[in-house]
């Protein structure tokens, strides 16, 4: 079998699909080569810096949908600095593996989370380490 049961479950029954109208952070990443586009929305409790809600909209293949879905489950309820530690490897492991040619989907899921956090930081004037973000998603203002 090409895909694990967990991948198929998250593809068939994705969790946290949709938009958050008054999101505190929105991150969108995409890969024109494969056509996958992910948009991640986060709601943050400003006092505790905890992600209280997270939703996603993904246009792409089954692996892109599954990685977006599991990533939202992995960061919901987490402190924002812990959500930043989410790695594509952790996403792949949580799904029970992905075919090699679909690993890029897990990278997009990681980048979408980071882009949403970066947007939250930018909107709230919170300083951050620019090196934590993919080069195409981060333009340092303090060069």
């Amino acid at each position: 079998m090409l895909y694990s049961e967990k991948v198929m479950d998250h593809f068939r029954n994705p969790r946290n699909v949709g938009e958050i109208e008054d999101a505190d952070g929105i991150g969108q990443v995409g890969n024109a080569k494969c056509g996958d586009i992910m948009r991640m929305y986060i709601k943050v409790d400003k006092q505790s810096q905890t992600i209280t809600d997270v939703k996603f909209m993904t246009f792409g293949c089954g692996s892109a949908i599954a990685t977006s879905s599991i990533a939202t489950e992995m960061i919901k309820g987490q402190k924002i600095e812990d959500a930043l530690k989410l790695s594509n490897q952790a996403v792949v492991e949580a799904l029970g593996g992905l075919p090699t040619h679909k690993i890029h989907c897990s990278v997009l899921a990681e980048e979408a989370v980071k882009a949403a956090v970066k947007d939250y930081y930018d909107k709230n004037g919170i300083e951050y380490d620019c090196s934590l973000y993919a080069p195409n998603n981060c333009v340092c203002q303090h060069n």
Side-chain angles (χ1 to χ4, degrees):
M1 180 191 332
L2 196 56
Y3 295 103
S4 72
E5 282 300 317
K6 197 135 188 195
V7 171
M8 295 307 296
D9 180 42
H10 276 271
F11 166 65
R12 290 185 185 119
N13 307 294
R15 283 61 148 188
N16 304 307
V17 176
E19 299 177 26
I20 298 175
E21 287 296 322
D22 58 344
D24 294 314
I26 302 171
Q28 181 170 312
V29 295
N31 184 326
K33 188 169 90 172
C34 71
D36 296 322
I37 308 248
M38 291 182 188
R39 181 177 283 179
M40 192 84 54
Y41 301 82
I42 59 172
K43 193 79 179 151
V44 179
D45 178 284
K46 290 180 176 57
Q47 188 171 13
S48 66
Q49 291 296 294
T50 300
I51 296 173
T52 58
D53 197 10
V54 56
K55 298 214 179 295
F56 78 94
M57 297 291 289
T58 293
F59 175 81
C61 65
S63 294
I65 292 166
T67 57
S68 300
S69 175
I70 196 94
T72 62
E73 286 199 324
M74 294 172 80
I75 67 166
K76 192 172 189 175
Q78 296 289 314
K79 295 258 186 212
I80 206 151
E81 65 267 13
D82 293 330
L84 275 176
K85 296 174 187 169
L86 179 73
S87 68
N88 75 297
Q89 296 93 337
V91 170
V92 171
E93 288 172 17
L95 286 171
L98 281 174
T100 306
H101 68 284
K102 293 296 184 177
I103 296 295
H104 69 275
C105 294
S106 65
V107 173
L108 285 177
E110 174 188 338
E111 289 180 353
V113 169
K114 288 181 176 178
V117 170
K118 180 187 177 302
D119 184 52
Y120 167 72
Y121 283 167
D122 287 343
K123 286 177 178 173
N124 290 280
I126 299 169
E127 288 191 28
Y128 53 85
D129 179 355
C130 202
S131 69
L132 294 174
Y133 304 90
N136 60 339
N137 291 332
C138 188
V139 178
C140 287
Q141 303 298 321
H142 51 278
N143 287 343

